Amino acid sequence: MDMLKRPRRLRGGELMRRMARETRVDKASLIYPMFVQEGTNSVDEIPSMPGQYRWTVDRMAEKLNSLADAGVSNVMLFGIPDKKDEIGSGAYAEDGIVQKALREAKKEVPNLFYIADVCMCEYTSHGHCGVLCDHDVDNDPTLDLLAKTALSQVQAGADMVAPSDMMDGRVLAIRNILDANGYKETPIMSYAVKYASAFYGPFREAADSAPSFGDRKTYQMDYHNVREAVKEALLDMEEGADIIMVKPCMSFLDVVTKVHQETNVPIAGYSVSGEYAMVKAAAERGWIDEDRIVCEMAVSAFRAGCSIYETYYAEELARYITEGRIG
């Protein structure tokens, strides 16, 4: 048979396949989400997320050093406070759990890049992401508290802040307060496209952040919508967002692609707790090859348009890159 074009020529061997590869995954693009809690000398496994832990501040350097050794340079911190109240005051307290963790991390493992999640849900007694008015979150009063939270985190050592609350106008409020206090160079990674998703269940156990009533559908996005995602991304860019995040990742890759096409800033995808838990559960039963699934999921995010990937598998992915199994 006379064929001039044979696509299989570029698949004939591992070296050829790697040379012709269209999508690359790099360690520098990975972010590891880490839970820090009050107390001392504790490392507590999260039941719904096998292999993931809540760390006390005095023990967190163990994980940070392990990440650094693997080549993961970016960590996002989520805090679990001892006490909560109606206005989530622990989120912006000088001695809040994330603030203490940032100071310790900067001292013990200063070569990593620390990102602070900016939200109220872990700190409010009702589990919602801001100040309540009746049974809904009151947007505008919440902005002041989110801005105070971001400022306190940067003052404690955060290299970047990541508002995840989905309040209208919060990026501008944070940008203004950071600039006014001399932090004009601190970037903002906005969870601009955060859906009201069932994939967050294990995280809410890990962070003790489930709402005590109702749900978050009045502020997180309807998962039926994609044009709205572009609107949210463009609004946050106008307010000063430097990076746009899409969350969750796996079931929203079409959204990643659309936002990537319509914007000119880096796009981050967050492979969330439910994705992690499903892979772990299936792998424990021997139904899937965990390592290969993790690699495919990561590549799919980058192929869709992500240039940053947040995942609980960051350390494993870094090792797979070193081993040449992905990259």
Side-chain angles (χ1 to χ4, degrees):
M1 184 177 292
D2 185 14
M3 286 192 292
L4 297 179
K5 296 182 179 180
R6 295 179 179 267
R8 288 184 58 186
R9 292 182 188 130
L10 300 185
R11 307 175 197 149
E14 177 63 17
L15 293 178
M16 181 71 254
R17 289 192 294 272
R18 294 183 67 181
M19 181 172 67
R21 188 164 289 165
E22 298 175 20
T23 303
R24 308 279 178 177
V25 180
D26 187 85
K27 295 179 186 180
S29 303
L30 301 174
I31 300 174
Y32 178 72
M34 186 170 181
F35 299 97
V36 289
Q37 63 180 352
E38 298 284 4
T40 56
N41 195 32
S42 292
V43 181
D44 300 325
E45 189 169 27
I46 300 162
S48 58
M49 300 177 68
Q52 300 302 312
Y53 301 84
R54 292 178 171 186
W55 300 81
T56 52
V57 171
D58 60 331
R59 294 287 300 275
M60 64 184 296
E62 299 169 29
K63 182 62 175 177
L64 296 174
N65 281 313
S66 180
L67 291 165
D69 290 344
V72 177
S73 54
N74 311 300
V75 178
M76 184 180 288
L77 296 178
F78 297 89
I80 301 99
D82 271 349
K83 299 178 181 179
K84 304 186 179 195
D85 57 36
E86 286 289 307
I87 58 173
S89 58
Y92 44 87
E94 184 178 351
D95 62 347
I97 179 59
V98 166
Q99 288 79 359
K100 289 188 291 188
L102 284 165
R103 286 190 286 269
E104 183 69 11
K106 281 290 194 176
K107 181 175 68 175
E108 295 296 325
V109 192
N111 55 317
L112 296 184
F113 187 87
Y114 294 101
I115 308 163
D117 176 76
V118 181
C119 198
M120 311 295 293
C121 60
E122 297 105 311
Y123 304 91
T124 55
S125 53
H126 45 76
H128 280 281
C129 300
V131 179
L132 293 183
C133 179
D134 294 327
H135 277 65
D136 198 9
V137 175
D138 197 348
N139 192 95
D140 294 7
T142 298
L143 300 183
D144 292 336
L145 302 185
L146 293 168
K148 287 174 61 176
T149 299
L151 178 61
S152 71
Q153 292 170 340
V154 173
Q155 289 172 332
D159 298 297
M160 182 162 67
V161 291
S164 62
D165 54 283
M166 286 299 287
M167 297 299 113
D168 293 338
R170 88 273 203 212
V171 172
L172 181 60
I174 291 170
R175 185 73 274 158
N176 283 342
I177 198 171
L178 293 182
D179 289 0
N181 283 272
Y183 296 105
K184 294 181 179 180
E185 301 302 318
T186 300
I188 298 173
M189 178 167 64
S190 172
Y191 292 63
V193 185
K194 182 178 180 180
Y195 287 90
S197 171
F199 280 96
Y200 304 148
F203 176 94
R204 290 177 180 174
E205 177 194 19
D208 190 23
S209 63
S212 60
F213 64 89
D215 54 41
R216 295 175 178 150
K217 291 180 180 178
T218 64
Y219 44 103
Q220 294 179 357
M221 284 180 53
D222 183 344
Y223 62 78
H224 297 80
N225 298 348
V226 64
R227 289 189 300 167
E228 184 183 18
V230 174
K231 177 177 70 174
E232 289 279 8
L234 293 175
L235 282 171
D236 282 8
M237 289 171 57
E238 289 174 9
E239 293 181 9
D242 303 285
I243 299 169
I244 295 297
M245 180 181 283
V246 176
K247 178 185 179 183
C249 192
M250 184 171 63
S251 291
F252 296 84
L253 295 179
D254 61 317
V255 180
V256 169
T257 298
K258 186 66 174 177
V259 174
H260 171 69
Q261 291 170 343
E262 298 290 339
T263 62
N264 60 0
V265 298
I267 306 301
Y270 191 157
S271 182
V272 298
S273 60
E275 299 171 42
Y276 176 88
M278 289 192 300
V279 172
K280 276 292 180 184
E284 286 175 356
R285 288 160 176 77
W287 295 342
I288 61 171
D289 183 325
E290 182 178 11
D291 297 354
R292 291 181 63 192
I293 288 286
V294 169
C295 291
E296 285 188 38
M297 289 170 62
V299 169
S300 71
F302 285 91
R303 192 179 63 239
C306 287
S307 50
I308 299 166
Y309 188 55
E310 183 164 0
T311 172
Y312 300 95
Y313 280 110
E315 188 169 349
E316 291 86 347
L317 281 167
R319 187 168 66 249
Y320 302 153
I321 292 169
T322 297
E323 295 168 355
R325 299 165 64 181
I326 182 177

